[in-house]
Amino acid sequence: MTADKPTASPFDASGLTVAWGGRPVLWNVDLRLPAQGMSAVVGPNGAGKSTLIKAALGLAPVLTGQVRLLGEPAARVRRRIAYMPQRNSVDWDFPVSVRDVAAMGLYGRVGWLRRLGKRHLEAADAALERVGLADFRHRQIGRLSGGQQQRVFLARALAQEAELLLLDEPFSGIDAASEAAILGVLAELEREGRHIVCIHHDLGTVAAYFDHVTLLNAVVVASGPPAEALAEDTLRRAYDASGLRPRAVAA
Amino acid sequence: MSLFWQVDFPALLAAGLASGLCALLGNFLVLRRESLLGDAIAHAVLPGIVGGFVLAGALAAPAMLAGALAAALVAAGAIHIVRRLGRIEPGAAMGAVFTVMFATGVFMLEQAAGRNLHIDADCVLYGQLEDILWLDAPDVSALPREVWTLAGVFAVAVAAVLLLAKEVRLAVFDPAFAAALGFRPGLLHLGLVLFVAAAAIASFEAVGSILVIAMLICPPAAARLMTDDYRTQILLSTALGVGSAFAGYGLAGFAPAFFGADWSLNAAGCIAAVSGLAVAAAALFGPRRHSFAGAAASLGRG
């Protein structure tokens, strides 16, 4: 597939405008992420980073424009895309085990109404092994550290064996060991030829972790290699401009 | 046939089915952290029930069911709109919508009662468990209509929960991820709303809407304090619902006599109270919750 279209961008937004409750969150976003290397999207709170990924997946109200993933509309390539929502988007007190959550990554392949088989559970266990959580598979997800919970989410995404991974803040609020583990797995995935797009919050590590950075604040302020995108003037434009927006908007 | 089979058995059957049904469905509300939605739907269906009743001119189950389902959809839509437009917290949106709809239902009920139609607020709130009789026992086909309705809704609900076990679990746990995979969490949620409305209407004649609300929330909440396993959570809360019905019914019938009184308690009220006690017991002794000593220690640390 990639051999046919070597130049196809895994993530290609054009003229994308998204509004929540009548207020535009993303404004006329044109963004073509490169096929090679790990990409990060950074920006202040309320800049529309999560909304960008949600819009790409068809989970946000798109007013105008479109996003093509792997060269196609998301609805046609759902099986080939893994989405990792923010850790705080779910209730970790929920009565499911670590293995149950990892196995959810296989639901798309299993399809409606059908049950998981033994090989699906084995695939879930293999994904947990890869993120170093094999020993925790029977534990309830609330009895894990924040970093381990993040790794469960990554295992669920791994189980999908997707070509494109869209990760919302995979490094947020976790310990150093989990950060290293997640980064290691992402680097492996990248070497396997998978495309990785992360929303990232830490400007201190973004240049070290990623090959391509997009600075977002409702509009694309800059997009390119870290040294280029993270110049002083672009950072000021992305982060200072947020001070000019009404407080309620930034929430 | 003895009095037990003619009077107590059909009442126990209706109470057990209604409680088990509500407890089963309530799981998904409690796990979604939307317990109040059950309360909202149980109240909001009232204008639909009365509307269906007035239009059909009798306690015709299909008309009232259709009215209740329509009212539940209106309520769910209105809650959604109030949340979006008003940007207020979900509990406030639900509270605003269901009280207005319930008030409308009470108003309609009064108008209907004024026209000498046989439907009244007491029946809706407390149910008429004592009126569910199986006079022709043991003729199964002569079981009261309420029991058949409840059994039917119960069977369909169990089938749906079994068939969609994987999809429901995913949609309740992580709706965004479910949607990204192409499962339809919004559609599944709408299905849940309709099932809760159907359970409310099937139950209200027998046990009343107060017991419906208690059973949607108390058994699942108690089970939440007792297990970390999803299957156990659902099975245990359904069992707790049925168990509360039996214990509450027994308590209502026999407790006053035990103390030498010659009156009996309202069965639906007793069942709701027993389910509340189950929550209290689970909160105090449930394996999943901190003991008082643990809570005191964490307060001391904090």
Side-chain angles (χ1 to χ4, degrees):
Chain A
M1 185 121 256
T2 41
D4 298 341
K5 295 183 266 177
T7 55
S9 165
F11 188 107
D12 185 355
S14 52
L16 182 71
T17 297
V18 180
W20 290 114
R23 189 182 64 81
V25 182
L26 291 174
W27 189 255
N28 198 21
V29 167
D30 287 307
L31 181 62
R32 256 174 89 84
L33 297 178
Q36 257 73 48
M38 280 170 43
S39 298
V41 177
V42 296
N45 287 334
K49 304 185 295 290
S50 297
T51 303
L52 179 66
I53 286 186
K54 286 186 176 157
L57 291 163
L59 308 179
V62 172
L63 287 185
T64 61
Q66 59 165 344
V67 184
R68 293 176 88 80
L69 299 176
L70 303 167
E72 313 245 14
R76 290 178 52 187
V77 285
R78 287 199 189 285
R79 296 271 182 80
R80 294 159 58 198
I81 299 163
Y83 168 49
M84 178 169 150
Q86 275 185 35
R87 181 163 58 94
N88 63 14
S89 67
V90 302
D91 171 16
W92 289 92
D93 205 31
F94 201 88
V96 284
S97 68
V98 167
R99 181 200 240 174
D100 288 335
V101 173
M104 286 174 185
L106 297 143
Y107 283 13
R109 210 178 309 159
V110 175
W112 283 91
L113 303 183
R114 266 176 273 158
R115 285 168 183 275
L116 295 181
K118 188 157 168 268
R119 67 197 164 92
H120 298 120
L121 292 179
E122 284 167 3
D125 286 347
L128 287 170
E129 180 85 55
R130 207 165 162 187
V131 299
L133 287 179
D135 294 341
F136 295 87
R137 61 178 180 265
H138 296 300
R139 210 181 265 202
Q140 192 265 333
I141 53 170
R143 292 162 198 259
L144 298 175
S145 73
Q148 289 169 328
Q149 290 176 344
Q150 201 70 267
R151 282 191 271 161
V152 176
F153 262 17
L154 180 61
R156 183 174 71 171
L158 285 176
Q160 286 185 256
E161 294 187 358
E163 289 163 51
L164 169 63
L165 288 91
L166 303 174
L167 314 174
D168 198 343
E169 305 240 8
F171 300 108
S172 171
I174 64 176
D175 55 291
S178 287
E179 183 144 351
I182 291 174
L183 192 64
V185 172
L186 294 183
E188 274 173 37
L189 292 169
E190 202 267 323
R191 280 197 296 278
E192 290 170 12
R194 302 179 201 275
H195 311 291
I196 291 161
V197 179
C198 288
I199 291 170
H200 196 60
H201 66 291
D202 185 1
L203 286 172
T205 54
V206 65
Y209 290 1
F210 295 95
D211 308 299
H212 187 273
V213 179
T214 299
L215 255 180
L216 188 76
N217 191 353
V219 298
V220 173
V221 177
S223 187
E228 221 175 88
L230 301 174
E232 208 185 312
D233 67 313
T234 54
L235 281 173
R236 189 175 298 126
R237 267 193 295 153
Y239 283 82
D240 285 359
S242 65
L244 299 174
R245 303 162 77 200
R247 282 316 295 165
V249 167
Chain B
M1 269 285 149
S2 69
L3 209 57
F4 171 81
W5 288 103
Q6 289 181 319
V7 177
D8 292 316
F9 178 75
L12 272 171
L13 201 55
L17 283 169
S19 301
L21 170 65
C22 291
L24 172 69
L25 295 172
N27 268 299
F28 308 110
L29 299 172
V30 169
L31 289 174
R32 273 179 63 100
R33 307 215 151 187
E34 266 192 350
S35 304
L36 190 61
L37 188 60
D39 200 344
I41 296 167
H43 279 94
V45 293
L46 183 61
I49 291 171
V50 183
F53 172 74
V54 170
L55 288 180
L59 277 167
M64 292 194 297
L65 181 63
L69 294 182
L73 286 179
V74 169
I79 289 167
H80 185 74
I81 290 170
V82 171
R83 253 169 97 167
R84 270 288 164 84
L85 294 184
R87 292 207 207 139
I88 53 177
E89 57 113 357
M94 289 180 209
V97 168
F98 87 67
T99 44
V100 168
M101 290 187 68
F102 189 68
T104 310
V106 170
F107 172 76
M108 290 166 66
L109 207 58
E110 274 188 353
Q111 295 298 308
R115 284 155 54 190
N116 286 327
L117 292 171
H118 171 76
I119 184 168
D120 62 79
D122 278 3
C123 162
V124 174
L125 289 178
Y126 311 120
Q128 295 181 324
L129 209 48
E130 299 76 10
D131 290 355
I132 297 179
L133 303 171
W134 191 19
L135 297 174
D136 295 326
D139 176 6
V140 173
S141 65
L143 269 169
R145 182 178 49 79
E146 292 91 337
V147 170
W148 285 114
T149 310
L150 278 166
V153 178
F154 194 100
V156 177
V158 168
V161 167
L162 287 176
L163 209 59
L164 292 166
K166 158 171 123 291
E167 289 79 2
V168 168
R169 175 159 71 172
L170 179 62
V172 171
F173 173 62
D174 192 346
F177 184 77
L181 284 186
F183 293 105
R184 309 282 299 275
L187 214 58
L188 290 168
H189 186 231
L190 196 64
L192 176 61
V193 167
L194 291 178
F195 262 114
V196 171
I201 168 82
S203 306
F204 101 98
E205 253 188 285
V207 298
S209 61
I210 292 183
L211 185 55
V212 169
I213 294 161
M215 284 302 148
L216 281 171
I217 298 169
C218 291
R224 249 350 257 111
L225 298 164
M226 293 164 75
T227 180
D228 265 334
D229 182 71
Y230 186 80
R231 277 169 63 98
T232 311
Q233 162 75 27
I234 290 175
L235 293 173
L236 181 63
S237 47
T238 308
L240 277 173
V242 177
S244 300
F246 291 174
Y249 188 87
L251 197 66
F254 304 115
F258 183 77
F259 292 108
D262 57 356
W263 38 268
S264 69
L265 290 163
N266 174 280
C270 275
I271 295 169
V274 167
S275 75
L277 287 176
V279 177
L284 289 175
F285 308 112
R288 259 195 87 247
R289 280 304 167 234
H290 308 296
S291 62
F292 274 131
S298 66
L299 277 179
R301 277 199 306 274

